[in-house]
Structure formats: structure tokens, C-alpha cells
Amino acid sequence: LTIVADDSITGASVVSIGGTTSLTATGGDINLTSRASNFETISATASGDITLNDATGIQLDDISAGGSFTLVSGSLMRQATGTTIDVDAATTLTAGGDGLGLQTANITLDNTGNDFGSALTIIAGNNVTIRSAQADLVMSGDTAVDGFLTLRATSGDISLGAGSVTADQVLTIDASGDVTGSGDLTSTNRNIDIDAGGLVNLSGNIT
């Protein structure tokens, strides 16, 4: 399925595509709100916001949002090899979880070239790997995952802000620059690895 629009692409109906979906909204938003939809592989480009919902696992091709990027999936999220996520505003990710009445699922967005924008919020996930390769990685709100959490910024700082960061398994924070934050860091199995090319300034509890 390929759709190119001069304005926005919106819809609340169920969309089920077994192959590749390509969406381009040159003058507006992409907003597909049905959580019963099923996209196997999707690319999306919009001058404004991009909001995608998927009932099962989803693979991302290139994502480019002039505004925010919101992705809700009932199962795993991953990227196709060689693709990027490029967001100007904020990114919000939800993979399963109580809010959907589902078990949490893995999020693997680890490609070089990713830029999650002004802030990244992870609502739910199991094993989560995030790589920001073009800019600083700025976390927003509290982050809690049911498996391991790996946050990497290969070209900048990681700012955890005032929110807490909790992983049931290993918590890894790896930045080429500084690592900062005022919230608590918790690994349920007591395994936290922090690696910074610059300063580490964490004022919350680390357990």
C-alpha cells in the first residue's frame, strides 16, 4: 500500500496490510488511530505529527516526522536494516502493557542514524534497546520496563530528567557525552552499567 497526500492522512478504521506500507503526507499529519490495525512493515513521512497504532508486531522502515512521533503496538517494535527514525519534536513508544490489556513486548530501535527528537517517552516495553545516533537522547517522565533497558547516545548526551528509570533486568546507559538526571535509577536484579565519555551527574538513588 502506497499513499501520497498533499495534506494529512487520517483514519479510524481498521487497516490490515500483509506487505509493505508507505505513507507520505507532505503538508500535514499522519494519524491512524485504530488499535486493531495490522501493518507488517511501514514507512511514514509527514511534515507534521505521525501517530500509528498496530495490533501485532511492527517493523519500521524510514520514519520522518516534522512534528511528534507516537507508536502504539500490541507486540514487538523493530527497525528494518539500514533505516532511520528522524523526529523533530517528541517520540512516544508503547509496546503492549496493562494499558492495552496485554503483556509488554520488546522494543529494538538500535539503528545508526536515529534521532528521537526533543524527548523520548517509553510508556511500556519488555526488553528495550534505544540508540540515538544524531543528537542527544532526552528522556521524559518515568520509564519502567519489564526486561532489560539499554539507552545509547553515540553522538551526544543522555538526559534522564527528573523521572525515574526502572528495569527488571540489566539497566545500561551509554553516552559519548554526559549522563545527567535527578530521578532514581533501579535495576530489580541489581545490575546497572553507566558509561559516559563526559560527566556523570546523577542525584537520585541508584539501586
Side-chain angles (χ1 to χ4, degrees):
L1 173 67
T2 299
I3 299 176
V4 178
D6 292 335
D7 201 343
S8 296
I9 300 172
T10 63
S13 300
V14 176
V15 180
S16 183
I17 305 296
T20 299
T21 300
S22 175
L23 305 175
T24 303
T26 58
D29 303 328
I30 297 173
N31 187 16
L32 302 180
T33 60
S34 173
R35 291 185 176 175
S37 291
N38 183 9
F39 300 100
E40 185 171 334
T41 300
I42 190 167
S43 65
T45 299
S47 60
D49 300 334
I50 298 175
T51 301
L52 302 173
N53 284 266
D54 185 86
T56 58
I58 190 169
Q59 177 172 269
L60 300 178
D61 276 349
D62 289 325
I63 301 293
S64 179
S68 63
F69 175 48
T70 300
L71 177 59
V72 178
S73 176
S75 188
L76 62 84
M77 299 178 187
R78 63 183 180 183
Q79 287 182 277
T81 302
T83 62
T84 62
I85 297 170
D86 185 7
V87 180
D88 284 357
T91 299
T92 303
L93 305 173
T94 305
D98 291 343
L100 300 179
L102 300 168
Q103 292 184 337
T104 55
N106 296 344
I107 300 173
T108 307
L109 303 179
D110 194 32
N111 288 359
T112 59
N114 289 338
D115 181 350
F116 296 95
S118 59
L120 171 64
T121 302
I122 299 173
I123 302 297
N126 184 37
N127 295 323
V128 177
T129 301
I130 298 291
R131 180 196 299 263
S132 175
Q134 297 297 320
D136 297 340
L137 180 59
V138 179
M139 303 301 294
S140 176
D142 295 334
T143 301
V145 303
D146 291 338
F148 66 73
L149 175 61
T150 299
L151 302 175
R152 289 193 176 96
T154 58
S155 298
D157 303 333
I158 294 179
S159 173
L160 303 174
S164 62
V165 179
T166 303
D168 278 2
Q169 299 180 24
V170 181
L171 172 57
T172 302
I173 301 171
D174 183 0
S176 64
D178 300 340
V179 175
T180 61
S182 58
D184 295 341
L185 303 184
T186 303
S187 167
T188 303
N189 71 356
R190 300 291 194 270
N191 194 338
I192 297 177
D193 181 9
I194 300 171
D195 187 6
L199 300 176
V200 176
N201 186 357
L202 300 170
S203 57
N205 296 319
I206 299 177
T207 57

